[in-house]
Amino acid sequence: MQPMPDYSLSVSEQLKSLTASGSLQLDPAQMHVAKCLDRVLSELKQKRPASKSSALGWLFAAKKKPSDKVKGLYIHGSVGRGKTMLMDMFFEMAPSSKKRRAHFHEFMADVHNRIAAHRLRLKNGETKQADPIPVVGAALYDEAELLCFDEFTVTDIADAMILSRLFSDLFGRGCVLVATSNVEPVNLYRDGLNRGLFLPFIDLLDKHVETVTLDSPTDYRMEKIDSLPVYITPLDRHADMAMDAAWNQALHGRKAHPIELPMKGRSIHVPLAVDRLARFSFADLCDKPLGAADFLAISERFDAIFVDHVPLLGPEKRNQTKRFIILVDTLYDHAVRLYISAAAMPENLLTQARGTEGFEFDRTASRLFEMRSAEYLALHHEKRAAE
């Protein structure tokens, strides 16, 4: 059983503690990033007296200069090197009561919704402020003076066009940004449409955020995941225990949280997610009215997915069966690692194999077997390395 983290320590001290207990391997690259995070922690703690909690705080706050603002951190490197784990440690230790941790795309979906809401108020005559950015920036900063982003990547032109103005406003207010990414800042939105309009944002990052590389030679994520059982049957207490043990091993010390995966005008609820790892129940994915587009979004967002409690699929579960077929096809086509607990082996899940559905499920059963193979694992690694 992995020891509970002691968040009264610094990030580097917590890392040393986990290494000493045998929960983690000693990794100099991770330790270097941990010390960079400790620098941000230290500066955030020094900033705390300038608050309403102290009468003298107001005096010091008045004398505080722009140069005294806390410089954030941008951590980039390949997947599976421990960026998210370190971010989790930092976020738990951060002293600010106003802090927010989110996947970057979720944050930007929220920003666009706030901008749309402001424009509607303007249209209805409820405000005279034509520019939504200062209003949105003020609201965001009022909610979170520390922003922590996982998977900072810019692919959408709508995001690219507002990032510079939005973060000029946020940084100007004193917002601190800590982010993880697979690419260094200079390569954000590379080859994107009208990238010249995005470049001022890279200059902003250079001014307000320290950039550090996490180039550990070991992909801890895949090292842990490769050894896990991928298909557990039958459904009983032992299956639940095995899935929980496999999930905890795959987490590798990270904390998973519920997230919302943005879709056009709605979102997909993900019960547990961290980095590019997610966990659902069969009901989460197949009892709900999800379709190919939803499963595509899930397969593009995550590298590995756990699905609990796949039942026997009888005639009364025809819609769920169709969704399960589409889900497996989509994950297979995108080389996503799939971990399942199920009521029976793949060839016995469908209780009545009739007509087109029977033929389609034959393919599903075949793919479920293939997704357990060393060849599929190799394909998974090859595709992910190319991304």
Side-chain angles (χ1 to χ4, degrees), residues 153-195:
T153 180
V154 184
T155 57
D156 187 283
I157 187 171
D159 292 348
M161 293 304 99
I162 67 171
L163 276 171
S164 180
R165 293 194 62 232
L166 176 64
F167 275 88
S168 288
D169 184 276
L170 287 172
F171 287 143
R173 296 177 189 275
C175 185
V176 179
L177 173 66
V178 176
T180 69
S181 179
N182 294 338
V183 299
E184 56 188 324
V186 72
N187 287 326
L188 287 170
Y189 198 54
R190 188 170 183 175
D191 302 322
L193 188 64
N194 293 327
R195 188 171 186 258

Side-chain angles (χ1 to χ4, degrees), residues 102-341:
H103 188 276
F104 177 67
H105 289 310
E106 295 160 18
F107 174 79
M108 290 308 300
D110 179 32
V111 168
H112 288 298
N113 287 337
R114 291 173 188 249
I115 290 174
H118 178 83
R119 285 173 175 161
L120 181 60
R121 288 194 296 271
L122 179 65
K123 181 180 178 181
N124 292 337
E126 298 170 13
T127 178
K128 294 183 179 180
Q129 171 62 272
D131 186 358
I133 296 298
V135 176
V136 171
L140 289 170
Y141 183 69
D142 185 58
E143 295 168 12
E145 297 172 2
L146 170 65
L147 286 175
C148 292
F149 291 148
D150 250 349
E151 307 239 356
F152 199 117
T153 180
V154 184
T155 57
D156 187 283
I157 187 171
D159 292 348
M161 293 304 99
I162 67 171
L163 276 171
S164 180
R165 293 194 62 232
L166 176 64
F167 275 88
S168 288
D169 184 276
L170 287 172
F171 287 143
R173 296 177 189 275
C175 185
V176 179
L177 173 66
V178 176
T180 69
S181 179
N182 294 338
V183 299
E184 56 188 324
V186 72
N187 287 326
L188 287 170
Y189 198 54
R190 188 170 183 175
D191 302 322
L193 188 64
N194 293 327
R195 188 171 186 258
L197 300 177
F198 174 76
L199 294 180
F201 176 67
I202 297 178
D203 294 334
L204 266 180
L205 283 180
D206 184 57
K207 181 179 179 182
H208 293 279
V209 178
E210 176 190 359
T211 300
V212 61
T213 305
L214 180 52
D215 56 359
S216 169
T218 305
D219 185 341
Y220 295 103
R221 176 179 54 88
M222 296 317 302
E223 183 183 71
K224 289 289 182 183
I225 287 179
D226 290 353
S227 64
L228 300 181
V230 297
Y231 197 99
I232 300 169
T233 189
L235 292 179
D236 55 19
R237 179 173 61 88
H238 298 291
D240 289 341
M241 291 173 62
M243 284 289 281
D244 286 343
W247 171 253
N248 289 331
Q249 188 178 351
L251 288 177
H252 191 64
R254 298 171 292 181
K255 271 192 169 183
H257 304 277
I259 68 167
E260 297 297 322
L261 192 60
M263 293 290 288
K264 291 183 178 179
R266 57 187 178 85
S267 64
I268 303 168
H269 179 67
V270 184
L272 287 172
V274 61
D275 197 6
R276 297 186 65 82
L277 180 70
R279 188 172 184 178
F280 301 86
S281 68
F282 175 86
D284 292 325
L285 294 169
C286 299
D287 283 357
K288 296 178 181 178
L290 302 181
D294 302 285
F295 298 142
L296 177 61
I298 290 169
S299 69
E300 290 176 341
R301 172 66 175 80
F302 300 107
D303 289 344
I305 291 174
F306 284 64
V307 179
D308 293 284
H309 303 150
V310 178
L312 293 175
L313 301 171
E316 76 283 0
K317 288 186 169 60
R318 189 176 182 187
N319 288 335
Q320 291 95 324
T321 301
K322 288 181 178 179
R323 292 188 191 107
F324 186 65
I325 290 171
I326 296 170
L327 171 68
V328 173
D329 282 348
T330 307
L331 298 180
Y332 177 87
D333 289 342
H334 288 79
V336 175
R337 291 295 282 166
L338 176 61
Y339 301 85
I340 281 182
S341 66

Side-chain angles (χ1 to χ4, degrees), residues 19 30 33 43 47 50 75 85-86 94 102 127 147 157 162 174 196 230 272 275 318-319 357 371 387:
T19 300
Q30 289 183 355
V33 173
E43 292 181 11
K47 187 180 178 182
I75 309 163
M85 175 190 69
L86 294 170
T127 178
L147 286 175
I157 187 171
I162 67 171
V230 297
L272 287 172
D275 197 6
R318 189 176 182 187
N319 288 335
E357 190 176 276
M371 291 167 86
E387 291 180 353

Side-chain angles (χ1 to χ4, degrees), residues 63-83:
K63 294 181 178 179
K64 205 163 183 66
K65 301 175 183 178
S67 59
D68 294 329
K69 290 178 180 177
V70 177
K71 193 166 188 177
L73 195 68
Y74 183 103
I75 309 163
H76 70 91
S78 302
V79 297
R81 267 57 184 183
K83 298 187 298 295

